[in-house]
Amino acid sequence: MTAPAYAPLILAVDDEGGNLLLLRQILQRQYRLLFAKDGERAIELARTQSPDLILLDVMMPDVTGHEVCRRLKSDPTTSRIPVIFVTALTDAADEIAGFEAGGVDYIGKPLSPPIVLARVRAHLSLVRLEDLKETRLQIVQRLGLAAEYKDNETGLHVIRMSHYAHLLGLAAGLGPASGGRRVRCAHVAAPVQAGLAG
């Protein structure tokens, strides 16, 4: 049985065919799958197919999993794809190296199907949550733009109020050091508030 066409897409990368076969058996009912046996092919598939998640072996010939992850994270088209390392390297130094390369989690070998499924499910939930936040922000921005189109004078006032809200937030100490999210939301929401008041 294969996953439905709308299921999340996972790219599994390992130079050992047996490991890819095992991942296929574990994941194929719930997820659409892509496979690569080397780092260069993994990078190519990540760029062209935009998987929702990548399961990446660390020890591969030519290009290591850590290097693949660094390259994916430095490319704007693939930087947001979460990478979970699947490896027999499980000591603290190896895990730290993986996190520093941009990985979000580790799954140790030999693979345990319940662990693989739980970790994949958890990280895909985080991806969906991040997408939802981004969508909500876009809605607020579009509402703000709609308010700007009442007339030219109102539109310019709305833009000025948005910038003032942003500057006030920064002056109040809500800048990047405090997470910056509140300032960004105030900057985005100010046109909506000004449009509703106008």
Side-chain angles (χ1 to χ4, degrees):
M1 185 167 114
T2 59
Y6 57 82
L9 180 62
I10 296 174
L11 170 58
V13 186
D14 199 308
D15 59 317
E16 296 289 329
N19 291 330
L20 293 177
L21 181 60
L22 181 55
L23 285 169
R24 178 185 206 165
Q25 290 169 347
I26 295 169
L27 299 168
Q28 70 183 349
R29 290 191 175 133
Q30 297 175 39
Y31 304 104
R32 294 178 299 134
L33 301 170
L34 292 170
F35 300 98
K37 292 186 92 175
D38 64 74
E40 294 299 334
R41 179 72 176 140
I43 293 168
E44 177 187 333
L45 285 172
R47 287 180 180 149
T48 60
Q49 302 298 313
S50 299
D52 297 293
L53 180 77
I54 298 173
L55 298 173
L56 180 60
D57 183 27
V58 174
M59 297 184 297
M60 295 187 297
D62 300 325
V63 184
T64 68
H66 291 152
E67 179 58 28
V68 170
C69 189
R70 277 191 282 278
R71 287 171 57 184
L72 291 170
K73 296 303 174 181
S74 69
D75 183 337
T77 60
T78 57
S79 63
R80 294 186 68 190
I81 304 170
V83 175
I84 298 176
F85 287 108
V86 180
T87 181
L89 302 174
T90 56
D91 68 28
D94 293 316
E95 288 189 29
I96 290 168
F99 290 128
E100 287 174 348
V104 297
D105 205 349
Y106 257 80
I107 300 174
K109 292 179 183 176
L111 296 175
S112 163
I115 297 293
V116 171
L117 287 168
R119 297 261 171 94
V120 166
R121 193 176 310 117
H123 286 286
L124 287 174
S125 293
L126 293 172
V127 168
R128 283 191 293 273
L129 182 61
E130 196 59 39
D131 290 346
L132 179 62
K133 285 180 185 177
E134 188 63 31
T135 301
R136 289 172 61 192
L137 184 60
Q138 289 174 4
I139 289 169
V140 171
Q141 287 173 326
R142 289 189 178 129
L143 286 171
L145 288 174
E148 291 177 28
Y149 288 111
K150 283 183 180 177
D151 60 57
N152 215 15
E153 194 172 311
T154 302
L156 293 174
H157 173 72
V158 168
I159 291 170
R160 279 193 308 276
M161 292 307 297
S162 171
H163 291 291
Y164 289 144
H166 179 77
L167 292 172
L168 286 171
L170 290 173
L174 299 175
S178 67
R181 186 172 180 277
R182 290 182 181 165
V183 173
R184 185 172 179 221
C185 289
H187 188 245
V188 170
V192 176
Q193 292 300 320
L196 293 174

